[in-house]
Amino acid sequence: MTTRATPEQRMQLHRAALYSEETKRGFVNNLQYEVLPKLSSFVERDDADAKHARTATSILAKIIYPENGDATFVHLQLRIFTEIRNALAQEINNGMVEVFIKGSAPVTMYLGEQFDSDLDIAVYINPALPKTQFDWMHANVQVIVGQVFASHKQLIDRTFFISRDTITRDQWLLDADAREAFRQRCIEGFGAAGLMSPLESDVARNLASSFSFSIKESLAQTDKVVRITEPHFDYAQKFPLHRSPIMCTVNTTVNFVNRDFRMHFDITRMKWMFLAPSDTEAGYKRLGAEFVDCVVPHQDDTELLEFWEARVKSASEPESEPVRRVAWFGKEVVIPTCAECMMNIWKMLFRYDSPEAKHAARMAKYTRLQQKCVK
């Protein structure tokens, strides 16, 4: 099955999926959609598959960001952050948008620890904009994010998973020596954890390959969402989302109210697929390691409102500025301040329903940050 399709064929697929009145799988132009139940809340998983995925994510991060500070592989992730910021440079300078790295990465920078998670990118549009202007900006940001993710997937595919005889050197992310070094470290790291990297062989690559997809609200059934195989993202047909171990997803259905806050954002993800042992007849299961995420909140998202409230306050109280520029593996990045990182962890402790082990780990991280940053 191929994921190549014209914009018109993609539109037919989306129309059939969004207006489907049945709970089933369907096909349009050889592309699949599936109608699924809508989730009513956000709950972090802690089953065996989730643990395998976290292990694989950690292996990849430790290879890309080694303790010795070698920056050979950082372009595999940081290019996405750089490209999104470059594309939105004018909006950033005009105070309409901020793009920064959030989550575990800035916390490890402040603690001086090795980064071992996925790269979380945030694109925060100023919620003070009139609603029509905000919605227009949100739609355009989502197009840019989709184009950057699709083009980056294409580069990773060409670097690792497509015959290098068919492409030129300027289409690689790493040169031949760096590519081989990364491949060997992945094979060894995954193997030591009882997992199999898609870089191990052509067979492993094929077994780990998956289609990219989007998740959207059903327009026919209010309690359903639809998962749609994507041949390409909006206005990104030049970057077809071929089936490979690098899977991109876009979810526009996250809209939960929990206690005193609202989570309402679109999230674009890139996953690095791999194989884990399974009791099934095949003996393996295809899973995805989180690689890069990018969230674009809607205007009523609580974290977005709190971020820009701090940004406005910083005009008279500079210490309230929520982000700062730092150097990380030789690259300039924008991250939350240490105080903002502490506040974000505190919010996660009491706003999210997390497995006990993750809750305890976050509390320990908060304590270490407090000791490091509070004078």
Side-chain angles (χ1 to χ4, degrees), residues 265-283:
F265 55 78
D266 295 354
I267 181 167
T268 304
R269 284 181 162 145
M270 180 176 289
K271 294 191 176 187
W272 191 288
M273 308 304 288
F274 65 97
L275 303 177
S278 169
D279 294 333
T280 62
E281 183 177 346

Side-chain angles (χ1 to χ4, degrees), residues 150-164:
S151 67
H152 194 75
K153 166 183 160 56
Q154 186 178 81
L155 285 171
I156 295 181
D157 283 345
R158 287 172 171 174
T159 302
F160 294 112
F161 302 115
I162 296 176
S163 172
R164 294 165 72 81

Side-chain angles (χ1 to χ4, degrees), residues 54-66:
R54 287 198 294 270
T55 296
T57 294
S58 176
I59 291 167
L60 289 167
K62 288 180 177 179
I63 294 171
I64 294 172
Y65 306 96

Side-chain angles (χ1 to χ4, degrees), residues 201-217:
S201 66
D202 288 347
V203 172
R205 176 200 63 198
N206 294 338
L207 292 175
S209 292
S210 186
F211 290 112
S212 297
F213 61 86
S214 62
I215 300 178
K216 298 178 179 291
E217 298 271 0

Side-chain angles (χ1 to χ4, degrees), residues 102-286:
K102 59 182 296 189
S104 296
V107 174
T108 59
M109 293 181 211
Y110 288 120
L111 293 178
E113 299 175 352
Q114 186 177 16
F115 181 46
D116 65 351
S117 188
D118 59 317
L119 190 71
D120 293 318
I121 301 169
V123 182
Y124 279 12
I125 304 167
N126 191 336
L129 293 172
K131 179 171 173 50
T132 52
Q133 187 178 358
F134 183 98
D135 291 345
W136 178 86
M137 179 69 71
H138 190 281
N140 277 275
V141 166
Q142 275 298 109
V143 168
I144 290 169
V145 170
Q147 290 172 338
V148 171
F149 268 71
S151 67
H152 194 75
K153 166 183 160 56
Q154 186 178 81
L155 285 171
I156 295 181
D157 283 345
R158 287 172 171 174
T159 302
F160 294 112
F161 302 115
I162 296 176
S163 172
R164 294 165 72 81
D165 295 332
T166 64
I167 55 179
T168 59
R169 290 183 64 87
D170 62 348
Q171 296 174 311
W172 306 345
L173 279 171
L174 302 173
D175 63 29
D177 290 341
R179 172 184 177 273
E180 182 58 23
F182 184 84
R183 190 181 77 85
Q184 287 298 330
R185 292 177 199 181
C186 278
I187 292 172
E188 293 169 5
F190 276 75
L195 308 172
M196 183 178 292
S197 164
L199 295 171
E200 187 159 321
S201 66
D202 288 347
V203 172
R205 176 200 63 198
N206 294 338
L207 292 175
S209 292
S210 186
F211 290 112
S212 297
F213 61 86
S214 62
I215 300 178
K216 298 178 179 291
E217 298 271 0
S218 170
L219 297 179
Q221 304 180 72
T222 58
D223 61 339
K224 298 291 191 298
V225 299
V226 288
R227 183 169 62 193
I228 308 170
T229 300
E230 286 290 1
H232 56 259
F233 289 144
D234 290 335
Y235 303 102
Q237 53 265 36
K238 291 184 179 179
F239 308 109
L241 298 167
H242 293 302
R243 181 176 180 269
S244 84
I246 304 301
M247 181 178 74
C248 291
T249 69
V250 177
N251 188 341
T252 62
T253 70
V254 181
N255 188 4
F256 305 131
V257 177
N258 189 7
R259 301 185 181 97
D260 65 338
F261 76 104
R262 177 182 289 276
M263 299 169 58
H264 189 192
F265 55 78
D266 295 354
I267 181 167
T268 304
R269 284 181 162 145
M270 180 176 289
K271 294 191 176 187
W272 191 288
M273 308 304 288
F274 65 97
L275 303 177
S278 169
D279 294 333
T280 62
E281 183 177 346
Y284 72 90
K285 179 181 289 189
R286 182 176 60 225

